[in-house]
Amino acid sequence: MSKQSPNVSPLRDWQQDLHDRSVPTVSTTHADRRSFLKASLTAAGALLITASLHPRRARAESSSSPGMLGFFVRIDTDGTTHIGARSPEIGQGVNTSLPMIIAEEMDADWARVKVKQMPMALKKIDEAPGIAWKYGPQGAGGSTSIPSAWSDLRQVGAKVRQLLLQAAASQWEVPVSDLRTEAGVVIHADGRRLSYANLAASAATSAWPEADVPLKDPKDFRIVGTAQPQVALREIVTGRAEFGIDARMPGALVAVVARCPHFDGEIESFDASAAKQIPGVREVLVLPGPKHGEPISANLATGVAVLADDSWAAIKGRRALQIRWKPGPYAQESSASLDRQCAELLKGEGIRCREDGDFDAAREAAARTVEAVYRVPYVSHCPMEPQNACVHVEADRVRIVAPMQSPSGASRVAHQLTGIDRFKIDVRMTRVGGGFGRRLSNDFVAEAVLLSKLSGKPIRLLWTREDDMRHDFYRPFGHHHLIASVDEQGAVSSWAHRLASASKYYRRPNVKPEDMWNPEIYPDDFPAQLVSNLRLEWFAVDSGMTRGSWRAPAHTANAFAVQSFIDELAVATKRDPVALRLAMLGEPRELEYGGHGGPVFDTGRLAGVLRRAADKIGWGRDPGKGRGLGIAAHFTFGGYAAHAMEVAVADDGSYRIERCVCAVDVGRPINRSGLEAQMIGGTIDGISTARNLEIHIRDGQVVEGNFDRYRLLRMADAPDVEVEIIDSEADPAGAGEMGIPTAAPALTNAIFAASGVRVRSLPIGPKIAAG
Amino acid sequence: MIKFTVNGAEHQFDGDSTMPLLWYLRDHAGLTGTKFGCGIAQCGACTVHVDGEAARSCTLPVAGLEGKKITTIEGLAEGRLHAVQQAWMEQDVPQCGYCQAGQIMAAVDLLKRHPDPSDEQINTLTNLCRCGTYPRIRSAIKRAAALAKSESAGREADA
Ligand code: FES
Ligand code: FES
């Protein structure tokens, strides 16, 4: 992979960052930064867990053993406990919840914990591909940070505790079995106590335990399962939290790029003379882009970059550019042409993604068949912080500071574009102003790398909102045709989900054409295995839009279609929507689930959230004239969620969510405040998107460019969200995505109940069409 | 040469006077707490106070600021945190946090105009939060109103 890799990473370990004022620290107690600096200065006797009496041996171990356990914790002599946070903080709360897991197992005093973002770090391994995570996985996507932390960071904390216990045992000359721990102290059976602060130095002289050590019994948890405010609160409310856009590199030029607005288009010609007249503009460069139809492995589009002394000069410089673009092969594409394409495709036969029993025969024999088509539009991620990156490419090294969800992807793309050894690519994650899947792609990092390479200067790349909204990896567009039949007894005897969509794998490197449906239909999703004659069929929509992962990817589209359709089926067969769902789920049992979030799907847990949401909203009551109750439940990436809403529809078609309940079972809650926040946020995101959001296409270009036309939900339309957390003891799943998929169908089902109008095409709009 | 104050300190600027205050703050004054979200006065991420009133700095050219007093999120706490900042912490409002400086500046302004705001008055806030923190913002504003009331009661008792 790399030409000549040194054995150890030349990057500083994050512990060194503890002494570096430029790397922000955040604290559970929200003490100000000055007290932290004092703590750092007095940290001479600090416990560096990686240190050892046999330093050479211990270091070798710590750089070769999986998990990198010694890298996360340091205890100062004053008791301050530093815990490293390895995953990017995109608002999902992992800089709080991951350290909580370590703190729990080591029995730290949470009030004394300070958290610091760790940089991305790799290590060399002998097996292919020769490179692996040094601190464990460091991405943010797929709601995976918590489950992976649960499997390795608990051991990190437990091993730290083990070292402290051993240190106390040898100081007192007693067996470890006589000792226990409490928040920050070791206690002997006879009542003697030693604080972690006092034990830290001697504990640091022991070798890091190689074998797994016993973990706490969850009934003894003191931190996991509580509600903790996020650790960076004080920095955020005082404006000191550092996001990617706040990063600075000495001598950096601000780059603003005019990207080709046509899907797969090119530059025909351009004139930069006026741009170069703008004071502060230093250079105008052509940014190369991907070739027609080729996989997108770096940046999204070709363009012209203006490099300037500051943001305003760069923005003005770009405005002054005269560019003639050459439209690409999608110049005719429009939202309407996509709708026509879908309708046409659905008349034919697609790829069979799953075929159980005999759908056609069952449909033939059925007492009653119901069908409907649902439309889900393209939508943009538009994280509040537009894309940006600070990158400096030098002769033999690269430095990247950026808001990312996939820092290893940033390192890979920088290597791909420069040929520089990955161990000489320093990747620093900042706090991230929202991810939603957008920053799983590193196209913006690639642009900054290219521009730094071309100009020879450090580059601070800035995207404006228009750049962000018009150059995205959009949530796929699709039409969902659902067909179900019921037998004489009213049981669902057949089910088909026929989806024509623009696959999110479009132009993704290394994807085979026959796998394009994989991210569009998840074959084990409800009601697979619950209806004996089942067909899942997919049709490829041709579109020039670049697509990608949008928070809870296909679940948002598919849960809308499936959970709306169940409601339609219930209405058509005069059954209660909750009762029908429960009947289909049947006895609580585990079904096989081969997709992400598996290996099992527990019907009882889905029924559990459905019942809880129904109870809380008062399902079955008559909400009065012009009001209706709607419900939906779905399994997303290992977590179960249900929404129940009460909606009032006025005579003019405007509608209001009067109550909104979200019941969630993501296994054992780690941080209840964070979990509740994710459910509130997911719910609002789901409502916002269902209500107003669509990216339209005209002449092979994106229409919407900013929040004036892309109307995110605002305070006046945001309901309160009543979150019901199921107290599960199952291993924790993540929580970043589960709150979205059921929000839209619960809303449209409630609108139907209130008004008799069935919304089958998203977005709903501020008013529903008269029924 | 344009002169104004930012968080009590004198500033002078003789660069491009069409530059919006947002970029002056972020690129020239080293005050990056004020955020860029849209550039067209739609999102409120860039909200600051100009002579004590909320303003969206992305569309305020420096040219119009002669003699104005500007307060940014960095200057909001005077010795101790503002009641709104305290309430934001108590309610654990932020998710990604990117919009929150603007949300706080807008909430401070709302509370100046309506010390005990109704839900309808809170609904007049148009700052965007992509993470969907609106319900907690609403409760934090109510909490801040209560905190401010007890603070001023405390001040009167001291006097
Ligand atoms: S950046 Fe000023 S309102 Fe959005
Ligand atoms: S907290 Fe992320 S945009 Fe508001």
Side-chain angles (χ1 to χ4, degrees):
Chain A
M1 168 163 285
S2 43
K3 283 167 291 185
Q4 28 140 228
S5 304
N7 277 324
V8 289
S9 161
L11 305 182
R12 301 177 312 171
D13 282 333
W14 76 280
Q15 285 94 340
Q16 286 170 269
D17 290 344
L18 289 171
H19 303 278
D20 178 351
R21 285 209 239 173
S22 69
V23 181
T25 294
V26 290
S27 153
T28 53
T29 50
H30 310 299
D32 64 23
R33 192 169 287 177
R34 192 175 308 146
S35 65
F36 162 66
L37 288 175
K38 231 189 285 163
S40 302
L41 295 174
T42 58
L47 166 61
L48 284 163
I49 291 296
T50 46
S52 164
L53 261 185
H54 315 282
R56 202 170 298 150
R57 198 175 137 250
R59 228 172 264 143
E61 278 166 7
S62 60
S63 60
S64 62
S65 63
M68 293 300 148
L69 304 181
F71 293 111
F72 289 83
V73 176
R74 194 186 88 187
I75 302 173
D76 291 343
T77 48
D78 69 353
T80 304
T81 302
H82 304 274
I83 301 184
R86 71 180 174 197
S87 299
E89 176 60 69
I90 60 176
Q92 84 284 44
V94 289
N95 272 9
T96 307
S97 54
L98 265 45
M100 280 173 78
I101 292 173
I102 296 175
E104 178 67 72
E105 287 292 344
M106 68 174 277
D107 240 343
D109 178 357
W110 184 248
R112 310 297 306 277
V113 168
K114 286 176 185 288
V115 172
K116 204 149 197 165
Q117 178 74 57
M118 298 164 88
M120 191 205 67
L122 301 169
K123 63 176 182 180
K124 286 201 67 130
I125 53 170
D126 294 333
E127 316 81 72
I131 207 163
W133 292 114
K134 187 173 176 186
Y135 304 140
Q138 292 192 278
S143 298
T144 53
S145 292
I146 291 274
S148 54
W150 195 248
S151 71
D152 68 352
L153 294 185
R154 288 183 77 192
Q155 275 295 329
V156 169
K159 287 179 179 180
V160 170
R161 179 172 171 274
Q162 181 78 7
L163 291 179
L164 292 157
L165 281 170
Q166 282 165 2
S170 62
Q171 194 161 326
W172 282 331
E173 297 181 356
V174 297
V176 167
S177 56
D178 286 356
L179 307 177
R180 63 192 175 86
T181 56
E182 258 172 30
V185 278
V186 178
I187 303 168
H188 188 269
D190 67 12
R192 277 179 288 172
R193 300 163 75 89
L194 265 172
S195 73
Y196 284 5
N198 285 321
L199 290 165
S202 67
T205 63
S206 305
W208 183 255
E210 260 188 72
D212 279 1
V213 299
L215 296 171
K216 266 190 182 174
D217 182 333
K219 75 174 175 13
D220 299 326
F221 284 168
R222 295 176 302 104
I223 300 170
V224 164
T226 61
Q228 297 298 336
Q230 75 152 302
V231 292
L233 268 182
R234 178 174 285 261
E235 286 68 23
I236 293 169
V237 304
T238 53
R240 290 183 317 192
E242 283 170 23
F243 293 83
I245 203 168
D246 305 326
R248 297 290 183 264
M249 277 183 187
L253 292 177
V254 178
V256 171
V257 180
R259 290 170 199 79
C260 183
H262 305 275
F263 306 156
D264 238 0
E266 292 170 41
I267 302 169
E268 193 167 280
S269 63
F270 75 99
D271 175 0
S273 50
K276 286 181 177 160
Q277 297 301 306
I278 307 273
V281 170
R282 297 287 162 202
E283 214 171 326
V284 175
L285 294 170
V286 171
L287 178 74
K291 297 266 171 305
H292 284 322
E294 275 184 3
I296 293 168
S297 60
N299 53 320
L300 265 171
T302 185
V304 181
V306 175
L307 275 48
D309 291 338
D310 64 21
S311 306
W312 185 237
I315 290 169
K316 278 179 92 171
R318 178 174 68 175
R319 275 185 204 156
L321 289 172
Q322 305 281 328
I323 309 174
R324 288 170 69 106
W325 302 106
K326 198 154 87 200
Y330 291 95
Q332 306 303 317
E333 185 170 326
S334 68
S335 301
S337 77
L338 286 176
D339 280 323
R340 284 194 299 271
Q341 194 190 147
C342 288
E344 205 48 49
L345 282 167
L346 286 170
K347 289 180 191 157
E349 252 189 63
I351 299 168
R352 298 277 165 86
C353 311
R354 182 172 184 137
E355 190 81 18
D356 293 348
D358 189 336
F359 172 80
D360 294 316
R363 182 181 175 172
E364 206 90 326
R368 176 97 198 258
T369 297
V370 179
E371 54 189 304
V373 177
Y374 303 90
R375 173 189 187 268
V376 178
Y378 278 126
V379 291
S380 169
H381 296 87
C382 59
M384 213 62 219
E385 178 186 13
Q387 310 315 316
N388 62 81
C390 265
V391 172
H392 192 191
V393 178
E394 292 171 82
D396 61 348
R397 64 177 194 146
V398 181
R399 187 167 157 85
I400 299 170
V401 186
M404 292 166 281
Q405 286 183 257
S406 173
S408 66
S411 150
R412 266 196 307 275
V413 79
H415 168 72
Q416 171 198 321
L417 297 173
T418 62
I420 290 170
D421 189 314
R422 288 192 67 190
F423 285 89
K424 291 186 170 171
I425 298 172
D426 185 1
V427 180
R428 300 280 160 156
M429 292 102 93
T430 62
R431 190 174 184 85
V432 185
F436 313 107
R438 174 62 182 88
R439 296 186 226 262
L440 290 168
S441 301
N442 283 289
D443 53 311
F444 50 98
V445 173
E447 285 185 349
V449 168
L450 285 167
L451 293 173
S452 179
K453 202 176 124 184
L454 286 168
S455 66
K457 303 211 174 60
I459 290 293
R460 174 151 75 87
L461 175 74
L462 173 73
W463 285 39
T464 61
R465 176 56 56 195
E466 289 78 8
D467 299 335
D468 189 81
M469 203 169 281
R470 296 204 168 114
H471 299 278
D472 195 354
F473 294 83
Y474 303 89
R475 182 184 74 180
F477 176 99
H479 283 204
H480 302 243
H481 178 203
L482 282 103
I483 311 165
S485 44
V486 285
D487 61 21
E488 302 290 349
Q489 287 72 45
V492 180
S493 54
S494 77
W495 180 284
H497 188 161
R498 307 173 70 242
L499 168 62
S501 73
S503 171
K504 122 180 162 178
Y505 277 175
Y506 175 61
R507 299 181 77 178
R508 183 176 288 210
N510 309 318
V511 174
K512 296 196 223 71
E514 63 268 29
D515 292 337
M516 291 293 279
W517 65 269
N518 294 356
E520 304 301 300
I521 283 203
Y522 305 137
D524 292 341
D525 268 2
F526 175 92
Q529 306 168 78
L530 298 168
V531 175
S532 32
N533 303 295
L534 180 110
R535 171 174 297 165
L536 302 178
E537 195 174 358
W538 185 74
F539 305 77
V541 170
D542 181 30
S543 165
M545 286 277 264
T546 43
R547 287 93 78 173
S549 301
W550 190 97
R551 198 177 188 183
H555 287 301
T556 58
N558 297 346
F560 169 66
V562 169
Q563 291 295 310
S564 295
F565 188 59
I566 295 258
D567 227 60
E568 298 213 44
L569 200 54
V571 172
T573 58
K574 301 200 167 45
R575 298 186 67 180
D576 174 78
V578 172
L580 175 59
R581 285 175 174 85
L582 290 174
M584 287 180 79
L585 287 168
E587 285 303 303
R589 63 204 185 282
E590 291 187 343
L591 302 177
E592 261 175 51
Y593 192 89
H596 174 36
V600 295
F601 158 57
D602 185 326
T603 61
R605 291 176 73 186
L606 193 61
V609 291
L610 183 66
R611 282 201 191 90
R612 178 76 79 93
D615 284 353
K616 191 81 201 298
I617 203 86
W619 191 259
R621 71 189 153 89
D622 176 8
K625 195 180 167 321
R627 290 196 173 207
L629 303 181
I631 202 159
H634 190 69
F635 173 63
T636 302
F637 300 156
Y640 303 79
H643 277 98
M645 296 189 198
E646 177 172 348
V647 169
V649 178
D651 290 340
D652 67 352
S654 61
Y655 58 95
R656 223 190 126 69
I657 300 171
E658 299 291 340
R659 277 189 65 202
C660 174
V661 175
C662 174
V664 62
D665 175 355
V666 285
R668 182 181 297 284
I670 305 296
N671 179 6
R672 280 171 193 274
S673 182
L675 173 55
E676 187 196 70
Q678 284 310 296
M679 292 307 125
I680 294 172
T683 302
I684 300 280
D685 196 356
I687 294 169
S688 173
T689 310
R691 189 181 168 99
N692 286 330
L693 302 184
E694 169 163 13
I695 290 289
H696 291 88
I697 301 166
R698 196 167 52 219
D699 302 331
Q701 301 177 59
V702 169
V703 174
E704 288 77 9
N706 209 321
F707 296 128
D708 51 346
R709 304 207 39 196
Y710 197 71
R711 307 283 300 167
L712 292 182
L713 202 76
R714 294 174 197 256
M715 179 67 89
D717 293 318
D720 188 24
V721 182
E722 303 165 46
V723 178
E724 291 285 303
I725 296 173
I726 307 277
D727 278 299
S728 168
E729 292 184 357
D731 282 353
E737 297 169 281
M738 295 67 187
I740 294 198
T742 45
L747 173 56
T748 53
N749 290 342
I751 287 174
F752 177 81
S755 66
V757 176
R758 174 61 64 183
V759 178
R760 297 198 184 92
S761 177
L762 294 178
I764 308 163
K767 288 182 180 183
I768 54 167
Chain B
M1 179 80 72
I2 299 148
K3 292 184 188 166
F4 47 92
T5 69
V6 181
N7 301 331
E10 305 273 342
H11 284 241
Q12 301 184 344
F13 185 62
D14 58 3
D16 180 352
S17 67
T18 68
M19 183 184 292
L21 173 61
L22 169 69
W23 298 117
Y24 171 78
L25 292 170
R26 295 187 50 80
D27 285 357
H28 294 269
L31 294 167
T32 55
T34 304
K35 294 292 189 271
F36 168 58
C38 69
I40 59 164
Q42 277 290 321
C43 74
C46 65
T47 307
V48 298
H49 294 171
V50 177
D51 288 345
E53 276 178 33
R56 293 186 171 173
S57 64
C58 65
T59 47
L60 272 189
V62 174
L65 296 177
E66 181 65 42
K68 303 276 188 204
K69 289 191 176 63
I70 291 139
T71 307
T72 70
I73 187 72
E74 291 94 339
L76 185 62
E78 291 173 318
R80 52 186 291 206
L81 291 183
H82 190 283
V84 170
Q85 291 169 311
Q86 280 175 49
W88 243 246
M89 290 179 67
E90 278 181 31
Q91 305 292 317
D92 194 15
V93 173
Q95 288 185 31
C96 82
Y98 193 79
C99 72
Q100 299 294 341
Q103 303 281 3
I104 289 170
M105 298 308 279
V108 169
D109 176 74
L110 176 84
L111 286 166
K112 260 190 217 168
R113 290 178 284 119
H114 308 289
D116 199 3
S118 65
D119 278 319
E120 287 64 36
Q121 286 162 338
I122 294 174
N123 284 348
T124 63
L125 291 173
T126 56
N127 287 46
L128 292 176
C129 175
R130 178 67 182 84
C131 299
T133 62
Y134 301 117
R136 285 190 180 178
I137 289 177
R138 186 183 295 279
S139 51
I141 289 174
K142 292 177 179 171
R143 175 69 187 139
L147 279 173
K149 214 178 285 172
S150 66
E151 268 175 26
S152 69
R155 266 199 302 277
E156 268 156 39
D158 288 346

